[in-house]
Amino acid sequence: EAAAKAVTEKIKQQQTALIDSLTQKKVKEKQPLLYDLTELQKDANRQFKYSADQTLKLMQELYERYKILSYPRTSSRYLSSDIAPQCPDLLKKVSGIDEFSDAINTINEKKYSIASRIIDDKKVTDHHAIIPTDKTPNLGELPTDHKNIYLMVIRRFVAAFLPECEKSHTEIIASAASETFKATGTVINVAGWRSLYQAADTDTKKDKEAMLPNVEKGDAVDIKKVTQKKGQTKAPALYTEATILAAMETAGKQVDDEDM
């Protein structure tokens, strides 16, 4: 604490910091894979607090009663090559949904096709990923919970047709009073598939990356505030349905004893 206080007091005497270096790395973020049942259960728990069992029941009804989603009990997030040619027609069936109509119009105008990495016969076992069927949906007849799950699946399906998201990862190194500081953040250059998720405000916490100002090496920047924070480590959080589903997928990875 004493060392932290000394640095804090030293920096408070400074009015500016100097930008020592600026590193920008352009990266492309691929479209997310389609939903299998477990991934859908995890996201539904995060977004709507649905239990895994509740999500499965909703999916079963969307499959059996409403017939607008494919078979839900699948562990694959890919499509087989015989399904790929049907995808443009399936996209057309959901083009009447208002929140996806602009994206689907863009897909049609630009003649985008579904991301090639999603088509993989080797990664489809008994059933392919969850996608819409060839039945035109009537959202007005769906109860709210069913509609929430349905739109999650359709958003993921439409996103698979959009281009990759292009971002710049930025790292700024600055100095003041012989101390060095680092700031990292992201600038989205081309939203691509992320435009669907930004509009829906369904980004997870990790997606909300810091936005940094435009600076150059050698710039002097104002020091507006210096704070010192005291904290302590916390025990691991209790499991939620989403995190326990994720843990089940890699169960045993922290255990070295083969018999156990």
Side-chain angles (χ1 to χ4, degrees):
E1 184 177 5
K5 188 173 182 180
V7 172
T8 302
E9 293 303 318
K10 188 165 60 167
I11 300 302
K12 280 183 177 178
Q13 305 305 314
Q14 303 293 308
Q15 292 185 321
T16 59
L18 192 67
I19 304 296
D20 292 332
S21 69
L22 177 72
T23 307
Q24 284 191 316
K25 182 182 178 184
K26 290 187 176 181
V27 295
K28 290 187 176 182
E29 187 180 14
K30 293 183 181 299
Q31 305 87 344
L33 295 174
L34 300 175
Y35 278 123
D36 64 3
L37 178 59
T38 304
E39 194 68 19
L40 185 65
Q41 287 170 320
K42 287 192 287 189
D43 277 2
N45 182 251
R46 290 190 195 104
Q47 290 184 39
F48 303 110
K49 307 303 180 190
Y50 297 159
S51 69
D53 187 53
Q54 185 180 3
T55 298
L56 176 58
K57 286 177 179 174
L58 292 169
M59 280 297 304
Q60 283 292 141
E61 290 207 356
L62 288 166
Y63 167 65
E64 293 176 356
R65 178 180 170 189
Y66 296 101
K67 304 185 188 309
I68 53 176
L69 285 184
S70 64
Y71 185 72
R73 293 173 184 265
T74 176
S75 59
S76 177
R77 301 183 65 188
Y78 296 84
L79 300 176
S80 53
S81 54
D82 61 323
I83 297 292
Q86 302 173 33
C87 289
D89 287 335
L90 298 179
L91 191 68
K92 193 179 294 182
K93 294 290 183 182
V94 297
S95 59
I97 302 174
D98 288 343
E99 62 187 284
F100 304 126
S101 58
D102 287 347
I104 293 173
N105 286 337
T106 300
I107 291 166
N108 292 332
E109 287 169 12
K110 303 281 188 181
K111 293 183 168 54
Y112 292 142
S113 54
I114 197 163
S116 58
R117 78 187 188 114
I118 286 170
I119 311 300
D120 192 335
D121 290 330
K122 294 177 182 176
K123 293 183 178 177
V124 177
T125 49
D126 295 338
H127 301 281
H128 57 67
I130 301 168
I131 57 173
T133 64
D134 59 2
K135 181 180 177 182
T136 303
N138 177 8
L139 293 190
E141 71 175 357
L142 293 181
T144 300
D145 291 343
H146 293 71
K147 183 178 175 182
N148 287 340
I149 293 294
Y150 180 71
L151 292 179
M152 283 177 64
V153 175
I154 302 308
R155 179 170 288 107
R156 186 62 65 95
F157 181 67
V158 175
F161 287 81
L162 292 170
E164 296 175 341
C165 173
E166 297 178 21
K167 305 192 290 188
S168 291
H169 287 324
T170 303
E171 179 183 272
I172 297 173
I173 304 293
S175 59
S178 303
E179 299 291 340
T180 302
F181 300 89
K182 180 174 79 169
T184 58
T186 298
V187 175
I188 294 181
N189 304 319
V190 179
W193 64 267
R194 273 203 172 276
S195 60
L196 280 183
Y197 285 82
Q198 290 166 342
D201 194 27
T202 55
D203 281 358
T204 59
K205 205 172 191 178
K206 69 177 182 179
D207 294 325
K208 295 179 179 176
E209 298 161 297
M211 302 300 286
L212 297 178
N214 290 317
V215 294
E216 301 290 341
K217 182 178 178 180
D219 283 357
V221 293
D222 295 337
I223 297 175
K224 296 195 173 179
K225 185 168 69 169
V226 183
T227 57
Q228 181 181 322
K229 184 179 178 182
K230 186 175 183 178
Q232 63 187 95
T233 57
K234 294 180 180 178
L238 296 176
Y239 281 114
T240 64
E241 287 228 18
T243 58
I244 206 165
L245 284 164
M248 285 163 64
E249 291 183 308
T250 56
K253 75 174 183 179
Q254 293 168 322
V255 179
D256 295 325
D257 186 327
E258 276 299 316
D259 292 338
M260 287 183 69

